[in-house]
Amino acid sequence: MKKLIHNHFFALLAWVVILVLSLLAFPNVNQLTREHSQITLPQSTQSQIAQTIEQKHWGHHVNNTYQVVAVFNNGDQKMSAADRQRVQETVDYLRKHQAEYGIKAVMGPNDNAATRKQLISKDQTTQLVQLNISKDHGTLQKINRQLSSAVKTNGLKTYVTGADILNDDFSGAVQQGIKKTEVISVIFIFIVLLIVFRSPITPLISLLMVGISFLTSFSIVTNLVDKFNFPFSNFTQVFMIIVLFGIGTDYDILLYNQFKENLGKGMEKWAATKDAQKRAGRTILYSGSSLLIGFTSLGLARFSVYQSAVGVAIGVAVLLIVLLTLNPFFMAVLGKKMFWPDKRFTGESSSKLWRRMANGSVHHPVITLLLVFAILLPVGFVNHGQLNYNDADEISNSTPSKKGFNVVEDHFSKGTAEPVTIYIKSSHKLDNERNLLLIDRLTNQLKDSADVKTVTSVTQPAGTKVSQLYVNNQLRQLTGQLGTAQSSLSQLSSGMAMQAAATGGAASDQAMVAGMGQMSSGLQAGGDYLSGLQKSAAADSFYLPNNQRRNPEFQQSVNNYLSADKKTAKLLVILNSNPSASRATSAVDGLTKISKYSLKGTALSHATVVVGGQSSKINDTKTIAGGDFLRTAIIMIVGIGLALVYVTRSLLQPVYVLGTLVTAYMASLSITHLLTRLLLGRTMLTWNTPFFSFIMLIALGVDYSIFLIMRYRNTDNHHYLPTERIVMAASAIGTVVISAAVILSGTFASLIPSGIPTLIEVAMTVVIGLIILVIIIPLVVPSTIHLTYPMRSAVRDNQAKQAARK
């Protein structure tokens, strides 16, 4: 029993059981990622209010549906009559088999004059079909697959696209990228550890530790997501993999180096294991705790994407437990065999580079700090430019849904692919002349905006005025009818005058002639008035006659643009620019102001007016993400700062360390922006890049400062001055930090083959940041220790050193 305890056998048994249970408890990760990867904004944002109206209150059997667009394209050639007929046959097929495909509503290009204008491109090459698919029908992956097959039409290119489909394909692309990352990371780490330890056994044990940690923690996270709606995003899994494999390997290097050094000193393997747990374990706990605090603090974020990084905290917690409980089993059992066939049992070789850098910085601390920050700060403050919020750019152009999206943008206006939707939700019905007049007035005002190409509404379903519904046209008809009546009356009056003359001017006949003359004058006056009114500004007003209410086309417009209860109206606005571009998202605020101002003081002054659609969602995302980034960054820095206060036993040292990390982050982000533009041809970083780069670089970069500070604290303070101790610590830990940085850089670099712009840019930023940190840590930390070390302690240490020499 004693041997089993010494060998940590029960720890092995416990982790075998935990691993088996974790594997058995795994939900369907692919499906889970697709279902929970949507960006969720606070319900109070107007894009979310608009989405709630659309999904829960619109009616017409389209509640709780996905909006999907089927695209039919004949390249750059006009569709022939036969092509158009085949498209119509496909539309008829979809209508006939609605239940089979979960279709709740179909709007085809030839349904009416309005849809012909909206859904058929001006160059006659492309036609669109708008579909609402029930969310209960199945996953988006299934819906995409079924519809892609159903819309295939001979002689034409067909695609299925839409915001929901694009987002689902993005999730799938991330999953494919993760598979590449996993393989590349494992191979890279194995090769590096093989070089470091000159043994095939050590890398396998290290990878086993990290693998168990990841599988266990990811099972916990996915089950929390599945059962308790734990924060999750497309990037949760990939960042858990990268962080755990990166820092897990770094921590293993620390632990194994200490264990190997102990064996080289002649320690028995059990004693060597216990001592390694104590010495290296303390550094691992301190470093891991700072990571844990940093990632856990993200739970205080308000933005769902930022909150999703909390999953990494769970991974770090499990990793620390595994490394410090399961690693000892292999160390105690294998002993020196763990490093076979290497026969050298010494600690990590000292770093001459870090020693020279630290020695120079303690002798010239002020000059060193000025040089470091004089170089990095100007780079860091270079304008990073605008960020790209178009998630469609994350998807390869070879993906069918992206191809369809691009076809729509090429053959319609840029905004057609994802129009802006304005909802007016009232407490009373809107299908009456008074309210329709207000909606029509708003439609015309929106059309006057410089950012708007087309506006469609219940009164203008084709994007242009319906002449029969305007006073000037109605007056024109009425004036014409009055003119005809007046002409007929004049003829009648002339005839009666002739008859009166023939009968000798009978009094009755003369009275009738006089009456008709007055009627003719009255008609003339009325005609003159109506002609004048027709030419006035008042004639350009909407008016719905009773006979038009029963018009089938008008009723179709009511069904399309008013909710089932007639209390909510929508206006579709197609912008001139790309709906995801900054110009379009900035236009949302202007559209909101126009809409609310137009209805102010009217019967709809108390109605809820919100703007929805992709542009509105991006606008809200900018606002929420920008504000929450700063707030979350402050929370994270404070949390890590408190951990550093405990580790360093200093109030100033954490400030210097965090200042160094932030400076490295700013500089690396600027360099990444430059490289992205030069090498990848993209003028903007993706909107997720700054945040994920920040949390990764700050949380992971602090490890290396802790490695150095802990080595400094463990160096004999009775015989050496602080400046001597920090130089010795830099020399002793430099190779370990450089090796750890190489491993962490390599694991992040494995994100580049994923092909996902956000992952590529985050990888570049972190790798560049780590390179900067490896260079400046041995310069900044020794300099600041020399400048801030208390004089009293320096005197005491000097006295202790002199006493020892005697």
Side-chain angles (χ1 to χ4, degrees), residues 1-141:
M1 179 61 71
K2 184 176 181 181
K3 185 176 181 180
L4 292 176
I5 294 174
H6 272 301
N7 288 344
H8 300 269
F9 174 78
F10 294 106
L12 173 67
L13 183 62
W15 279 111
V16 169
V17 173
I18 292 171
L19 180 60
V20 171
L21 292 176
S22 299
L23 294 175
L24 293 175
F26 257 122
N28 186 324
V29 175
N30 186 37
Q31 181 178 339
L32 189 77
T33 302
R34 290 174 182 269
E35 290 176 352
H36 293 267
S37 59
Q38 288 276 7
I39 295 175
T40 57
L41 295 168
Q43 292 300 312
S44 59
T45 57
Q46 71 165 344
S47 62
Q48 294 305 294
I49 296 173
Q51 184 173 321
T52 300
I53 291 174
E54 176 185 311
Q55 291 293 324
K56 296 183 178 179
H57 304 298
W58 188 251
H60 297 301
H61 307 292
V62 297
N63 293 349
N64 194 39
T65 60
Y66 296 115
Q67 294 182 342
V68 178
V69 177
V71 182
F72 301 82
N73 173 254
N74 194 36
D76 293 326
Q77 301 296 319
K78 287 185 178 181
M79 285 190 184
S80 64
D83 291 331
R84 297 193 294 272
Q85 179 59 34
R86 283 193 287 268
V87 172
Q88 186 57 48
E89 289 172 357
T90 302
V91 174
D92 294 339
Y93 172 82
L94 292 174
R95 285 198 169 104
K96 186 177 179 180
H97 296 83
Q98 285 189 206
E100 180 180 345
Y101 296 105
I103 299 173
K104 285 193 171 184
V106 180
M107 183 182 290
N110 295 304
D111 287 357
N112 51 57
T115 59
R116 282 192 288 274
K117 187 170 183 178
Q118 294 172 38
L119 304 180
I120 299 177
S121 63
K122 287 184 178 180
D123 61 9
Q124 303 292 309
T125 64
T126 309
Q127 295 190 10
L128 308 179
V129 177
Q130 294 180 349
L131 305 168
N132 287 87
I133 312 297
S134 172
K135 291 183 178 181
D136 297 329
H137 183 64
T139 64
L140 276 164
Q141 191 176 18

Side-chain angles (χ1 to χ4, degrees), residues 511-523:
M512 290 179 65
V513 170
M516 287 185 179
Q518 291 177 354
M519 289 177 63
S520 179
S521 298
L523 288 174

